[in-house]
Amino acid sequence: MRKITHWKYVFLCLLLLIMGINACKTITKVEESTKREAKALTESISKVINKDADKADKTVKSTDKTVDKTVKSTDKTVDNTTETTAKKVKGAVATHTYDSAENDPLKTRIYTLKNGLKVYLSVNKDEPRINTAIAVRAGAKNDPRDATGLAHYLEHMLFKGTDKIATVDWEKEKVMLQKISDLYEAHRKETDPEKKKAIYQQIDSLSFAASKHAAPNEYDKMISSLGAKGTNAYTFVDQTVYINDIPANELEKWLTIESERFRMVVLRLFHTELETVYEEFNMGQDNDTRKVYKAIFKNLFKKHPYNISTIGLGEHLKNPSHVEIQKYFDEYYVANNIAICLSGDLDPAKTIKLIEKHFGKLRQQRVPDFTFEPEEPITKPIEVDVMGSTAEYLNLVYRFEGAGSRDALFLNLMDGILQNGQAGLMDLNLIQQQKILSGRAFQFAMADYSLHVISGTPREGQSLDDVKKLVLEQIEHIKKGEFDEDLIKAVIKNYKLDEMKGYESNRARVGAFVDAFILKRKWQDVVDELAKLDKITKEDIVKFANENYKDNYLAVYKRNGEDKNVMKVEKPPITELELNRAAQSDFAKEFEKMESGRLTPAFVNYKEAIEDYDLDNGVNFYYIKNKLNPTFSLYYIFDMGKLHDKELGLAISYLPYLGTDKYTAAELQKEFYKLGLSFDVSSGDRRVYVTLSGLEESFEEGVKLFEHILANVQPDKTALNNLTDGILKKRVDAKKDKNTIFWSALFDYGKYGKESSFKHRLSEQELKAITPEQLTEKIKKLSHYKHYVFYYGQNSPKQTMATLNTYHKTQEKPLSYPEPVKFEELVTTKDKVYFVDYDMVQAQILMLSKDKQFDKTLYPPARVFGEYFGSGLSSIVFQEIREARALAYSAFSSFSVPREADKSHYTYGFLAVQSDKLKDAVTAMRNLMNDMPKAEKQFESAKTSVMKKMESERITKSRIFFDYLRAKDRGLDYDVRKDVYEKAKSMSMDELATFFNEHVKGKQYNFLIMGKKENL
């Protein structure tokens, strides 16, 4: 939905990282740049979604008045979020009315229960699952100023249970927890360091005793037993949101758990979770991007509480208050301040009845007023330096009114005109002309203010001031009206396309609902936003730019160098807690007895799901019909990649900067964007994808232009020289990037040694020796190689093939692929350590051990092993390493399944740990990987979770074809999930133990370690 919405998930994940707001249950965060196998390890890692915020002070006050009415009302439903969107429509049940919006593509129903609880429902039958979010309209800005980080603490603690969940003897436990709370208050008030230490020792001792009355990870275990995925939560400036993705038939059981945990908060196992929060804070000291955004918020908000990051101040983290956390919960976690947002395979009438049954008695009360003193106007540029290890870049930031305002509306267009990824002024004038190394822009709307963030990375020899000057020139072009009026229409057309594609996802729908609730926006206004944009003229944009883009910006210069302001929160020693895996609360026992039925899994029959034809030229053509919306994706696929030809990746990188004999490079990008199309070529180690996608109405024009480019690209020496210089600069920058070093360079070194695919690339000498003609000839010859075509869209096979037969020309006898380079995987017969000295507070460790070559019979036990032992929120590793001992912020273990038949399985163990706990953490992990604890009940739950996930999973749309390709790469011709499901039904603990003993226990490892040497 618009460019801002298209970016919102990416930006939230970024913001959660940068501001120190890692979701409370994230096991580990492996970057997208991770190699194939590393990415495969993290299939179960929770993903964080969405962001945004409230509105302005005036709206907040009027909303609070509405809430007052809600509290006083007994029978009448009041819309406490000012969201009376359209006419009231009678629901299927006479007592339930709902709001709806005209022309809403999601057909959203918005209910308000008598206690003020808001409910957003959208039906999507794509698969029998429901994406869920419970949004609380309270975040870091609501923290007491003397107890910052409190909202984030509370988010963590809502996973710890209530007086019913996760306790085996509440009467005894609550006495101990009260004593612990009192000790924390004494600790907070004490100023003498030695006395504080003595109090903390009492807290530690009492916490150990109290843990004997707890049933650890019970919420996680119960939610996992449903077949839930993506269980997580996040806190940001205006909100705290709890997320899940559940099988549709488990809705009532999910509501049973969630209504109980939102009833009350119990601060059990608090000090081990406190260790986790400390570690999140310390991780922020290692992340330059977090530090940049901390500087942005600190310097743009002198008065507003946005100025303190969600993680809180270090001094407050060290002195938490149970009393203040409980007070925050009591004030904000009330029905009239909460929304339940659901999208998926649901019946709205039945769903709202269930929600009322379980959440209808949730308490309501007046929510405290939030007021703030408006910021003073910025009258001259603010310039700030941020130092760190990573490459330099610039962030230019302008401050505007909050979400839902006229400012925020205009920013959508301003942003798209400036940079849209294809045909914006920055795209064409700076990025395509290679005047900067990279750049982007995005709007970030919060409740009380919005930000327009514009970033640029310098080329070799270019200063950050040079980048700033170039960016400001693009803004001046807008202020002077130096852009095509057609660009506005094209931006809106592509926003509509983004919205159409985005709303295929339940997660995106739920994200939009969360945004609307948190930002107090009427759903009708959200639905109408594109129509409102359509009425904005070029003159309006020019006027807006001249009024708002002056010397009123913040320039944050991320410079390379030592940061002398790094602060680490020292973590006191704790006693390992006693985890009784067999312990169960009475609530959990009753929960297990609830019947929800089981779904029938649906495995893909590739031959039936994919239509297979031949074009006139003999090229294999695969077809799947898009039944959802008038969009298409067309792929030309070549089973060769960079391992077959090192120059191929360079040629593909060169293509976006080239024109043809009829069009300049800029004209091509404009033409595609105007048609609502995007054109991309990507090269991996073993495969090349040439992709055209967009609006179905533009299919034939797009193919014609697409083929024209491939056949008629013209060499451009200046473009190649700039590209080569840019590649070399990116290599220099990559040597400063922690994630590239660890998950690409070190990872490949640990698997392959000195020669690997990471190093298989053109040297500087080779780059400079290659000619433009060599590369353009390689592009023109691409379609002469063996390849196949895949189309996903609404045209019939006959129509699509007719277009391709007209425009897609190949030579009579296709060329064969060059032989690929092969790299031998290292044999791990003895322990070895590979170490990178990097200036960071944390340390990262990956243990990896090679197993046998791909064996499909290992797929089922590997999946169950991951769920039970190493990769779930209730897994053995997570419980032992993080929950019981607080040895690492992130911890997982996995037995990987390779993506290709000629690759090997690997045993992995990963830890992100404070440096002084490295030895203990590695020892604990290795002990677990040599002696797997056997918890029969937990094992059965893990099996059930695997099966329920598969029962509700549906591989649909274009995913069917790419799943087929993955199977083919492994030498399979069927959906291998069927093997996993059938085996999981009957697998015993003894069978899993046999798998463990043969493939995990007693392994020797290559230890990949990165950290600051002097701290280890």
Side-chain angles (χ1 to χ4, degrees):
M1 179 179 175
R2 308 179 312 281
K3 181 178 173 233
I4 175 180
T5 308
H6 174 72
W7 277 107
K8 74 181 172 187
Y9 304 111
V10 177
F11 186 60
L12 177 71
C13 292
L14 174 67
L15 252 287
L16 293 175
L17 288 169
I18 61 180
M19 297 293 287
I21 317 161
N22 294 64
C24 77
K25 306 302 285 185
T26 302
I27 299 172
T28 186
K29 193 78 177 169
V30 181
E31 301 296 332
E32 276 298 317
S33 59
T34 307
K35 288 294 181 182
R36 287 89 37 217
E37 296 87 346
K39 186 177 178 183
L41 290 178
T42 60
E43 290 174 349
S44 65
I45 293 177
S46 303
K47 294 185 177 89
V48 182
I49 58 171
N50 308 344
K51 61 121 231 332
D52 277 292
D54 285 323
K55 199 173 184 256
D57 186 31
K58 184 177 176 183
T59 307
V60 175
K61 290 177 181 177
S62 67
T63 302
D64 282 337
K65 291 177 184 176
T66 307
V67 173
D68 267 340
K69 286 185 184 179
T70 304
V71 175
K72 292 172 184 175
S73 167
T74 55
D75 200 16
K76 186 174 164 186
T77 301
V78 177
D79 189 346
N80 76 300
T81 60
T82 69
E83 192 162 2
T84 320
T85 52
K87 59 186 177 182
K88 285 278 185 177
V89 182
K90 283 289 180 181
V93 179
T95 55
H96 293 113
T97 58
Y98 58 85
D99 290 338
S100 65
E102 293 180 2
N103 303 314
D104 178 10
L106 306 185
K107 295 180 171 55
T108 311
R109 294 187 180 193
I110 305 168
Y111 298 85
T112 308
L113 302 187
K114 290 182 180 180
N115 60 4
L117 182 81
K118 189 70 65 179
V119 180
Y120 294 74
L121 301 180
S122 178
V123 178
N124 180 7
K125 300 284 187 179
D126 194 38
E127 61 177 349
R129 295 191 70 87
I130 300 172
N131 193 277
T132 79
I134 301 179
V136 183
R137 197 188 280 132
K141 77 177 183 185
N142 305 100
D143 284 344
R145 293 298 91 184
D146 62 348
T148 59
L150 189 152
H152 179 233
Y153 270 144
L154 178 56
E155 172 224 304
H156 280 241
M157 297 315 298
L158 245 73
F159 287 83
K160 300 300 183 182
T162 65
D163 58 358
K164 293 181 180 178
I165 295 177
T167 185
V168 291
D169 192 335
W170 174 243
E171 292 305 314
K172 290 181 179 177
E173 186 187 20
K174 71 177 181 181
V175 174
M176 293 183 177
L177 293 182
Q178 183 59 53
K179 290 179 180 178
I180 292 170
S181 176
D182 294 341
L183 285 169
Y184 268 112
E185 293 307 305
H187 179 269
R188 189 177 186 221
K189 294 173 184 176
E190 182 57 64
T191 56
D192 184 282
E194 291 304 314
K195 290 182 180 178
K196 285 179 80 76
K197 189 181 295 184
I199 294 171
Y200 199 86
Q201 288 173 348
Q202 293 180 61
I203 291 172
D204 179 60
S205 176
L206 200 53
S207 296
F208 174 78
S211 71
K212 296 179 181 180
H213 301 298
N217 292 88
E218 191 162 79
Y219 170 83
D220 299 329
K221 290 175 183 176
M222 287 191 294
I223 210 74
S224 178
S225 74
L226 304 182
K229 297 189 292 188
T231 303
N232 218 317
Y234 67 90
T235 307
F236 197 48
V237 290
D238 301 298
Q239 72 264 55
T240 309
V241 184
Y242 300 82
I243 56 179
N244 267 296
D245 188 305
I246 61 170
N249 62 315
E250 299 288 0
L251 177 62
E252 182 158 21
K253 292 186 77 173
W254 174 79
L255 287 167
T256 300
I257 304 173
E258 298 297 347
S259 59
E260 170 59 22
R261 80 157 164 163
F262 276 83
R263 182 180 61 83
M264 73 178 299
V265 62
V266 170
L267 306 180
R268 64 168 55 88
L269 306 179
F270 184 83
H271 79 320
T272 53
E273 200 63 35
L274 192 58
E275 288 267 310
T276 300
V277 176
Y278 285 169
E279 195 63 14
E280 286 189 44
F281 181 89
N282 291 338
M283 286 165 62
Q285 312 304 301
D286 293 336
N287 190 305
D288 288 352
T289 312
R290 292 189 195 184
K291 292 189 286 185
V292 165
Y293 278 86
K294 182 179 179 181
I296 289 173
F297 280 75
K298 180 180 179 181
N299 284 279
L300 286 182
F301 301 108
K302 300 295 185 181
K303 302 175 181 179
H304 195 285
Y306 286 163
N307 59 7
I308 296 177
S309 68
T310 303
I311 196 71
L313 299 175
E315 195 57 38
H316 295 165
L317 294 182
K318 292 186 290 185
N319 294 284
S321 166
H322 282 211
V323 172
E324 290 293 339
I325 293 175
Q326 184 67 58
K327 181 181 176 184
Y328 188 103
F329 177 85
D330 291 342
E331 289 180 341
Y332 294 107
Y333 280 62
V334 293
N336 47 295
N337 202 42
I338 291 174
I340 295 178
C341 305
L342 307 179
S343 178
D345 187 3
L346 55 84
D347 179 317
K350 293 179 181 177
T351 300
I352 192 61
K353 287 171 68 178
L354 288 173
I355 292 173
E356 184 171 57
K357 172 184 172 183
H358 291 279
F359 275 88
K361 294 181 181 178
L362 190 66
R363 65 193 174 87
Q364 62 172 328
Q365 66 183 37
R366 181 190 170 104
V367 176
D369 290 343
F370 175 77
T371 58
F372 64 92
E373 188 178 349
E375 297 291 336
E376 296 294 333
I378 299 170
T379 57
K380 62 180 180 179
I382 304 169
E383 298 187 339
V384 178
D385 287 343
V386 172
M387 308 303 292
S389 303
T390 58
E392 295 188 340
Y393 61 90
L394 167 80
N395 267 6
L396 207 63
V397 191
Y398 293 84
R399 190 184 68 209
F400 293 88
E401 292 181 10
S405 66
R406 181 179 179 274
D407 279 3
L409 182 69
F410 269 77
L411 276 180
N412 283 326
L413 276 185
M414 184 73 186
D415 193 44
I417 292 166
L418 188 62
Q419 195 267 332
N420 54 55
Q422 282 183 252
L425 298 184
M426 284 180 65
D427 299 306
L428 299 180
N429 298 339
L430 302 185
I431 299 168
Q432 191 176 68
Q433 292 186 31
Q434 302 186 81
K435 290 185 179 179
I436 60 176
L437 194 62
S438 63
R440 59 181 287 236
F442 50 90
Q443 177 201 2
F444 179 44
M446 298 172 289
D448 308 320
Y449 288 98
S450 297
L451 303 179
H452 195 189
V453 184
I454 309 161
S455 65
T457 304
R459 299 180 65 84
E460 184 63 39
Q462 190 177 40
S463 72
L464 293 178
D465 281 326
D466 292 336
V467 174
K468 183 177 78 170
K469 181 180 177 182
L470 289 168
V471 169
L472 289 173
E473 284 175 2
Q474 307 317 302
I475 295 174
E476 285 301 311
H477 286 316
I478 299 177
K479 291 167 72 172
K480 293 176 182 177
E482 295 171 348
F483 61 94
D484 294 337
E485 191 158 8
D486 287 348
L487 180 56
I488 297 176
K489 299 299 181 186
V491 167
I492 295 170
K493 188 173 191 174
N494 280 272
Y495 285 171
K496 289 177 180 176
L497 175 63
D498 289 345
E499 180 179 84
M500 198 185 305
K501 296 291 288 182
Y503 281 162
E504 292 179 10
S505 159
N506 284 324
R507 191 179 82 171
R509 295 183 185 202
V510 167
F513 300 154
V514 170
D515 289 349
F517 173 72
I518 296 299
L519 299 172
K520 300 177 184 163
R521 296 193 66 193
K522 297 179 182 179
W523 185 245
Q524 185 70 62
D525 288 344
V526 175
V527 171
D528 290 344
E529 188 158 308
L530 289 174
K532 291 178 182 177
L533 291 179
D534 219 2
K535 295 177 182 178
I536 297 174
T537 66
K538 179 177 178 178
E539 290 73 20
D540 294 332
I541 287 291
V542 171
K543 182 181 178 184
F544 178 80
N546 279 283
E547 289 174 348
N548 292 281
Y549 291 82
K550 302 176 182 178
D551 286 340
N552 57 339
Y553 59 80
L554 165 69
V556 181
Y557 299 94
K558 164 58 200 55
R559 301 191 186 279
N560 192 240
E562 182 184 357
D563 184 356
K564 296 183 179 179
N565 297 314
V566 169
M567 172 190 176
K568 179 181 178 182
V569 177
E570 295 297 333
K571 297 188 279 187
I574 67 168
T575 303
E576 179 181 349
L577 299 182
E578 190 169 296
L579 296 184
N580 181 358
R581 292 191 183 87
Q584 255 191 319
S585 67
D586 290 339
F587 182 95
K589 292 173 184 175
E590 291 302 311
F591 179 80
E592 283 185 350
K593 296 175 184 177
M594 290 180 65
E595 294 292 334
S596 54
R598 297 290 286 268
L599 299 171
T600 302
F603 303 112
V604 181
N605 184 322
Y606 299 128
K607 291 182 180 179
E608 292 179 359
I610 305 169
E611 296 182 47
D612 188 354
Y613 305 91
D614 287 327
L615 300 178
D616 289 350
N617 55 16
V619 172
N620 207 208
F621 173 72
Y622 297 97
Y623 172 92
I624 297 176
K625 186 174 182 64
N626 177 0
K627 300 176 183 178
L628 292 177
N629 52 48
T631 65
F632 78 93
S633 296
L634 178 72
Y635 303 85
Y636 298 168
I637 305 170
F638 302 80
D639 287 333
M640 68 171 178
K642 289 181 282 189
L643 294 183
H644 297 78
D645 182 353
K646 282 198 296 186
E647 294 177 359
L648 187 58
L650 180 63
I652 285 168
S653 299
Y654 187 37
L655 182 57
Y657 303 106
L658 300 179
T660 68
D661 52 0
K662 287 176 62 178
Y663 302 96
T664 65
E667 287 171 341
L668 287 170
Q669 290 298 331
K670 287 180 182 179
E671 194 66 22
F672 277 117
Y673 195 68
K674 186 170 66 178
L675 291 168
L677 300 173
S678 60
F679 164 59
D680 187 37
V681 185
S682 60
S683 175
D685 281 351
R686 300 188 179 210
R687 191 168 278 143
V688 168
Y689 295 92
V690 182
T691 310
L692 178 71
S693 62
L695 295 171
E696 192 73 80
E697 65 188 46
S698 302
F699 175 69
E700 184 167 357
E701 290 177 89
V703 172
K704 183 178 179 180
L705 192 58
F706 188 58
E707 291 288 349
H708 169 75
I709 294 170
L710 294 178
N712 295 281
V713 287
Q714 299 296 303
D716 184 326
K717 186 169 179 60
T718 301
L720 179 57
N721 289 340
N722 288 335
L723 175 65
T724 300
D725 290 343
I727 289 170
L728 295 174
K729 173 64 162 56
K730 286 178 180 178
R731 290 181 183 179
V732 171
D733 290 350
K735 292 179 181 179
K736 303 170 185 174
D737 181 70
K738 179 172 65 174
N739 292 306
T740 303
I741 293 168
F742 189 82
W743 288 109
S744 294
L746 184 58
F747 182 84
D748 266 23
Y749 197 93
K751 286 189 70 174
Y752 299 102
K754 292 182 179 180
E755 298 302 323
S756 68
S757 63
F758 179 77
K759 288 186 64 180
H760 184 69
R761 55 189 180 182
L762 296 166
S763 66
E764 181 176 351
Q765 186 177 3
E766 289 172 320
L767 279 170
K768 292 185 174 180
I770 202 162
T771 67
E773 290 75 18
Q774 285 175 276
L775 296 181
T776 52
E777 187 61 25
K778 201 172 287 288
I779 293 168
K780 291 175 182 179
K781 286 176 62 178
L782 192 58
S783 61
H784 296 173
Y785 284 94
K786 293 186 300 182
H787 64 282
Y788 42 100
V789 177
F790 168 56
Y791 167 86
Y792 173 73
Q794 292 198 329
N795 285 334
S796 68
K798 185 176 179 180
Q799 289 173 296
T800 310
M801 291 170 68
T803 300
L804 292 171
N805 285 332
T806 301
Y807 298 109
H808 185 51
K809 304 300 181 183
T810 62
Q811 65 181 32
E812 188 172 336
K813 186 177 181 181
L815 299 174
S816 298
Y817 301 138
E819 284 296 313
V821 175
K822 294 184 178 179
F823 299 103
E824 294 298 321
E825 297 168 321
L826 297 177
V827 177
T828 49
T829 54
K830 62 179 182 179
D831 287 345
K832 289 185 179 179
V833 175
Y834 299 95
F835 175 71
V836 173
D837 188 7
Y838 190 90
D839 187 9
M840 56 192 290
V841 175
Q842 259 199 340
Q844 291 183 172
I845 307 99
L846 182 68
M847 304 159 56
L848 62 95
S849 184
K850 180 175 174 290
D851 202 82
K852 64 188 296 188
Q853 195 165 300
F854 173 69
D855 179 350
K856 70 175 186 178
T857 66
L858 295 180
Y859 209 130
R863 177 78 182 263
V864 176
F865 172 75
E867 189 77 27
Y868 169 71
F869 181 79
S871 301
L873 298 180
S874 57
S875 67
I876 298 294
V877 166
F878 187 77
Q879 288 179 2
E880 288 285 342
I881 302 294
R882 175 166 154 170
E883 299 287 272
R885 304 179 65 180
L887 289 174
Y889 175 74
S890 303
F892 76 86
S893 174
S894 176
F895 184 81
S896 72
V897 177
R899 289 180 175 266
E900 291 99 21
D902 61 348
K903 297 292 185 182
S904 300
H905 297 269
Y906 275 81
T907 302
Y908 292 96
F910 174 78
L911 296 160
V913 59
Q914 63 186 100
S915 299
D916 57 351
K917 290 190 175 182
L918 174 66
K919 182 179 179 181
D920 290 343
V922 172
T923 300
M925 176 67 88
R926 190 152 200 177
N927 288 343
L928 285 173
M929 294 173 74
N930 282 329
D931 185 13
M932 180 179 73
K934 293 182 180 180
E936 192 70 42
K937 197 169 190 64
Q938 193 166 332
F939 169 71
E940 291 299 325
S941 180
K943 286 200 314 176
T944 300
S945 178
V946 168
M947 292 169 65
K948 285 186 175 181
K949 287 175 183 176
M950 289 192 167
E951 287 164 2
S952 56
E953 284 174 354
R954 296 295 183 267
I955 296 174
T956 61
K957 304 190 284 285
S958 60
R959 288 177 54 211
I960 294 171
F961 180 75
F962 294 105
D963 199 67
Y964 159 73
L965 282 190
R966 281 190 288 272
K968 184 179 172 185
D969 290 343
R970 289 174 172 142
L972 305 173
D973 60 1
Y974 66 98
D975 185 350
V976 73
R977 294 178 308 144
K978 186 174 183 179
D979 294 350
V980 177
Y981 185 80
E982 293 300 326
K983 185 62 181 174
K985 280 184 185 178
S986 60
M987 188 180 297
S988 66
M989 175 60 88
D990 287 342
E991 286 178 291
L992 185 66
T994 299
F995 165 82
F996 179 87
N997 292 336
E998 292 177 355
H999 298 282
V1000 180
K1001 184 176 181 177
K1003 290 275 190 175
Q1004 306 304 309
Y1005 294 95
N1006 284 342
F1007 289 85
L1008 314 182
I1009 302 177
M1010 185 164 74
K1012 193 170 184 177
K1013 189 175 182 180
E1014 65 188 62
N1015 293 341
L1016 298 177

